[in-house]
């Protein structure tokens, strides 16, 4: 038998020899801490974990955030104009079409004026055309017919232009957003990529994982710019075609008003001829004021 009391030092050496490989294996199983001053490990430890659009927005630079907020507001303005102007244009076009049908089916300007006032309450651009014609006829009751037609054509053209300007109000902002939003987004992208390159120089590494979040945040600004610009351009083109059709409708209604006025004047002249025994009717000017010698 082995006397452990006599061989104590020998057994201690054997025990240490058997435990050394076990301790070495345990040390190998544990992850080694990153060496001090490793730029890759340091940069990876500070990378944002949320790469969703909202997370990238929250991690973006203050300038890029301002660009994104401005573009989001521009997009909101675009859809607001689309809703408000679309409702306004649709209502005005329907009202003008109904008034134009009444104007076309009437026998005289007076009958058309009564129909429009009764059914449409005298509202709309076509009703304004009829009102202007009646006003001009009252003012020029004793003036030649050719002058009446000329002055009335000028008045109707002004009403058409005013209605067209009123309908295009606000659409210029759509053109501005559509033209500038991509470049504003590109500015945010350039600013964000510039910050990413600054981060590369500070971290002293070319690892893509270090600069990828900053580049993604920068590209998000361009994406928002396109989201704001594309609908603005499409809506502007749709409104441009719709307003052109509305102006053409007003032009047709203006022609109907002139035709009614021409027919009414000819009927009046023919009635004057019949009453005067086929004598040429004479339109007299309004009596001029005479001054009496004091």
């Amino acid at each position: 038998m082995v006397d452990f009391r006599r061989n104590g030092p020998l057994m201690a050496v054997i025990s240490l020899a058997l435990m050394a490989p076990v301790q070495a294996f345990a040390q190998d199983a544990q992850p080694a801490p990153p060496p001090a001053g490793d730029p890759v490990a340091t940069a990876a430890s500070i990378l944002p974990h949320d790469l969703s659009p909202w997370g990238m927005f929250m991690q973006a630079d203050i300038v890029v955030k301002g660009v994104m907020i401005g573009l989001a507001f521009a997009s909101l303005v675009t859809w607001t104009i689309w809703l408000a102007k679309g409702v306004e244009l649709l209502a005005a076009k329907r009202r003008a079409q109904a008034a134009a049908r009444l104007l076309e089916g009437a026998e005289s300007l007076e009958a058309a004026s009564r129909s429009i006032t009764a059914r449409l309450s005298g509202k709309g651009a076509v009703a304004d055309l009829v009102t202007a014609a009646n006003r001009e006829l009252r003012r020029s009751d004793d003036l030649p017919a050719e002058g009446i037609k000329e002055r009335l054509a000028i008045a109707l053209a002004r009403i058409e232009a005013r209605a067209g300007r009123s309908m295009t109000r606000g659409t210029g902002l759509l053109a501005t957003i559509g033209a500038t939003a991509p470049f504003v987004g590109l500015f945010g992208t350039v600013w964000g990529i510039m910050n990413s390159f600054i981060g590369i120089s500070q971290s002293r590494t070319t690892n893509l994982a270090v600069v990828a979040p900053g580049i993604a945040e920068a590209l998000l600004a361009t994406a928002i710019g396109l989201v704001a610009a594309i609908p603005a351009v499409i809506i502007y083109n749709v409104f441009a075609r719709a307003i052109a059709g509305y102006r053409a409708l007003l032009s047709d209604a203006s022609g109907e008003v002139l035709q009614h006025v021409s027919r009414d004047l000819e009927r009046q002249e023919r009635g004057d001829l019949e009453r005067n025994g086929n004598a040429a009717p004479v339109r007299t000017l309004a009596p001029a004021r005479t001054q009496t010698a004091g």
Side-chain angles (χ1 to χ4, degrees), residues 85-138:
K85 187 60 65 174
V87 172
E88 180 185 359
L89 182 58
L90 182 62
K93 198 169 184 179
R94 287 185 176 180
R95 192 181 298 115
Q97 289 174 347
R101 286 193 296 267
L102 294 175
L103 188 62
E104 185 178 359
E107 294 295 330
S108 64
L109 184 64
E110 184 179 357
S113 179
R114 287 196 302 266
S115 300
I116 293 174
T117 303
R119 298 189 182 183
L120 302 177
S121 301
K123 296 180 180 180
V126 178
D128 293 340
L129 296 175
V130 175
T131 301
N134 289 326
R135 183 169 56 248
E136 183 61 33
L137 288 174
R138 286 194 304 269

Side-chain angles (χ1 to χ4, degrees), residues 23-278:
Q23 292 179 353
F25 178 76
Q27 290 178 356
D28 293 339
Q30 294 179 355
D38 188 357
V40 176
T42 304
S45 63
I46 61 174
L47 287 178
H49 298 286
D50 187 7
L51 293 180
S52 64
W54 178 253
M56 288 188 292
F57 169 76
M58 295 304 296
Q59 294 292 333
D61 183 77
I62 185 63
V63 176
V64 182
K65 280 185 180 179
V67 170
M68 292 181 184
I69 292 173
L71 292 173
F73 180 74
S75 181
L76 179 62
V77 170
T78 296
W79 293 108
T80 303
I81 293 176
W82 169 75
L83 180 61
K85 187 60 65 174
V87 172
E88 180 185 359
L89 182 58
L90 182 62
K93 198 169 184 179
R94 287 185 176 180
R95 192 181 298 115
Q97 289 174 347
R101 286 193 296 267
L102 294 175
L103 188 62
E104 185 178 359
E107 294 295 330
S108 64
L109 184 64
E110 184 179 357
S113 179
R114 287 196 302 266
S115 300
I116 293 174
T117 303
R119 298 189 182 183
L120 302 177
S121 301
K123 296 180 180 180
V126 178
D128 293 340
L129 296 175
V130 175
T131 301
N134 289 326
R135 183 169 56 248
E136 183 61 33
L137 288 174
R138 286 194 304 269
R139 292 179 176 179
S140 306
D141 185 46
D142 51 358
L143 296 179
E146 293 300 326
I148 294 175
K149 296 177 184 178
E150 182 179 353
R151 287 188 296 274
L152 182 57
I154 295 173
L156 296 182
R158 293 176 61 185
I159 293 174
E160 291 179 34
R162 184 169 62 248
R165 287 194 303 269
S166 176
M167 197 56 62
T168 57
R169 188 179 298 116
T171 57
L173 188 58
L174 294 176
T176 302
I177 293 174
T180 60
F183 297 101
V184 175
L186 183 60
F187 167 74
T189 298
V190 171
W191 187 273
I193 292 178
M194 180 180 65
N195 288 335
S196 297
F197 280 113
I198 293 174
I200 291 176
S201 64
Q202 291 177 350
S203 61
R204 296 181 180 180
T205 178
T206 58
N207 192 350
L208 186 60
V210 178
V211 297
I215 295 176
E217 295 161 7
L219 294 177
L220 182 62
T222 298
I224 296 177
L226 294 177
V227 168
I230 293 174
V233 173
I234 294 174
I235 294 172
Y236 176 78
N237 291 333
V238 171
F239 279 160
R241 291 192 296 268
I243 292 173
Y246 177 69
R247 285 178 170 175
L249 183 59
L250 293 183
S251 179
D252 294 340
S254 178
E256 287 288 340
V257 170
L258 288 174
Q259 289 177 0
H260 278 299
V261 170
S262 179
R263 283 192 292 265
D264 292 343
L265 291 176
E266 289 183 4
R267 291 191 187 103
Q268 184 178 356
E269 289 180 358
R270 186 175 62 184
D272 293 341
L273 286 173
E274 291 176 354
R275 283 192 300 271
N276 295 333
N278 294 331

